[in-house]
Amino acid sequence: MRKLIAYRLVLAVPQLAAVSLLVFALTYLVPGSPAGAMLGAGATPERIREVEAQLGLDRPAFERMGDWFGHALGGDLGVSYTSSLPVTDLIVQRMPATLSLAFGGMVVALILGIGLGAIAGMRPGHTDRAIGAGTSVGLAIPEFWFGLILSLLFAIKLGWVPVVAYTPFTENPLAWLRGLILPSLALGIPAAALIARQTRGAMVQALASPYIDTLTAAGVPRRTIVLRYALKNAMVPVLATAGLTFRILFGSSFVVEAVFAFPGAGNLLLTSVVAKDFPVIQGGVLVIALLVIALNLLIDVGYGLLDPKVRPQ
């Protein structure tokens, strides 16, 4: 297992470098100048060139890229053009809300997806078809629509939970949890449908395996067979799907943040794209790529624990 972790960590270095290089290059394809976006439509070309010189945008691209990589290695992601605050501080302030939302959505997706998928795999017939129809609906409806419907029903009509009420966990854990209920459901239900389908197929295959017949003939209780053997083996492909789902959730969380006015990294990046605040975009994408790579490492470790055949030799 140590070899697997070392192998993935070594691969993470060129992956992060490639992502940073790609994002840096893409900023050159964005039409317009950050200085022009800061000064507004009435800015003169002379004034725009003056601000570009102050921001260092008049330097050669390779020189700017080298400086950015050098500072990034030391944890300095630059300074925002619009707020003049360190990018690292901006991301640190916003990331807890995004991570809370993404992990909340993943908890909903895993609980609903694995539970419904396992039930569908164990009970062919009406139950299987009903869950299959429900997952089709879940896959067809986008997250932002779920968010609007949940807000209208549970927040506005019934008043059970607040519509916009993100509270940091350190301030009030109960208020933090209440504020996450609707956004997590909106984000997690479509992902649960994907995991439920994968779990259902894996459970059907596991329960049809010869070792299940052997355990049944040996008198092992059905509940033990399902929970200890069939469900464990079915989790191998489901874990890979869960990892892919979390990456999708991370991207979808930006849309849900906008629906529920979450002060997360998604809103920060969206406003930075509009304002052409390149240091925030580059730093935000680098941090998100780092989180995704760390998540992939955890999934690979879990995959290796469940199935020793996938470990590197």
Side-chain angles (χ1 to χ4, degrees):
M1 191 55 68
R2 291 179 180 176
K3 186 183 293 185
L4 171 65
I5 296 174
Y7 178 72
R8 296 302 185 193
L9 289 177
V10 170
L11 278 181
V13 176
Q15 288 173 341
L16 288 174
V19 169
S20 302
L21 185 62
L22 178 63
V23 174
F24 196 93
L26 287 176
T27 57
Y28 279 89
L29 300 179
V30 178
S33 167
M38 292 170 58
L39 296 172
T44 63
E46 293 77 13
R47 179 58 181 158
I48 291 177
R49 283 194 293 271
E50 182 182 347
V51 174
E52 285 180 345
Q54 293 173 356
L55 297 175
L57 297 175
D58 57 342
R59 295 183 299 157
F62 287 107
E63 182 180 337
R64 291 170 50 199
M65 185 170 62
D67 286 347
W68 188 83
F69 272 102
H71 289 107
L73 289 175
D76 181 8
L77 298 177
V79 177
S80 168
Y81 291 159
T82 56
S83 65
S84 300
L85 294 174
V87 174
T88 306
D89 292 348
L90 290 174
I91 294 174
V92 169
Q93 291 171 3
R94 298 297 191 99
M95 197 53 76
T98 297
L99 291 178
S100 298
L101 179 57
F103 280 104
M106 196 65 203
V107 169
V108 171
L110 289 176
I111 292 175
L112 290 181
I114 293 177
L116 293 175
I119 292 172
M122 290 187 297
R123 297 183 179 179
H126 294 299
T127 303
D128 184 17
R129 286 194 289 273
I131 294 177
T135 57
S136 297
V137 174
L139 288 171
I141 299 179
E143 291 85 354
F144 75 89
W145 184 251
F146 262 127
L148 295 174
I149 296 298
L150 292 174
S151 296
L152 181 64
L153 179 61
F154 293 103
I156 297 176
K157 293 288 185 183
L158 300 177
W160 290 354
V161 290
V163 181
V164 180
Y166 174 75
T167 304
F169 179 81
T170 53
E171 293 183 7
N172 189 334
L174 185 58
W176 170 81
L177 185 61
R178 290 187 73 230
L180 277 179
I181 292 175
L182 290 186
S184 298
L185 286 174
L187 189 63
I189 288 176
L194 181 63
I195 294 177
R197 289 202 164 200
Q198 181 66 50
T199 304
R200 184 258 178 200
M203 278 296 292
V204 169
Q205 187 174 3
L207 290 173
S209 301
Y211 71 87
I212 296 296
D213 296 333
T214 303
L215 292 170
T216 303
V220 178
R222 180 69 174 175
R223 175 177 295 182
T224 303
I225 292 175
V226 171
L227 296 180
R228 182 176 297 179
Y229 300 100
L231 189 59
K232 178 183 176 182
N233 290 331
M235 286 300 101
V236 176
V238 173
L239 184 61
T241 303
L244 175 62
T245 302
F246 188 81
R247 290 192 287 272
I248 297 174
L249 282 180
F250 215 85
S252 302
S253 67
F254 293 177
V255 178
V256 177
E257 281 182 14
V259 173
F260 290 93
F262 247 56
N267 271 330
L268 176 66
L269 285 178
L270 289 176
T271 55
S272 299
V273 169
V274 174
K276 297 183 177 62
D277 197 344
F278 294 154
V280 177
I281 299 171
Q282 293 163 355
V285 172
L286 179 63
V287 171
I288 291 172
L290 187 62
L291 290 174
V292 171
I293 289 173
L295 174 67
N296 285 337
L297 175 61
L298 292 176
I299 292 171
D300 288 340
V301 170
Y303 207 61
L305 290 173
L306 288 174
D307 188 359
K309 292 184 293 186
V310 303
R311 300 175 188 174
Q313 302 298 320

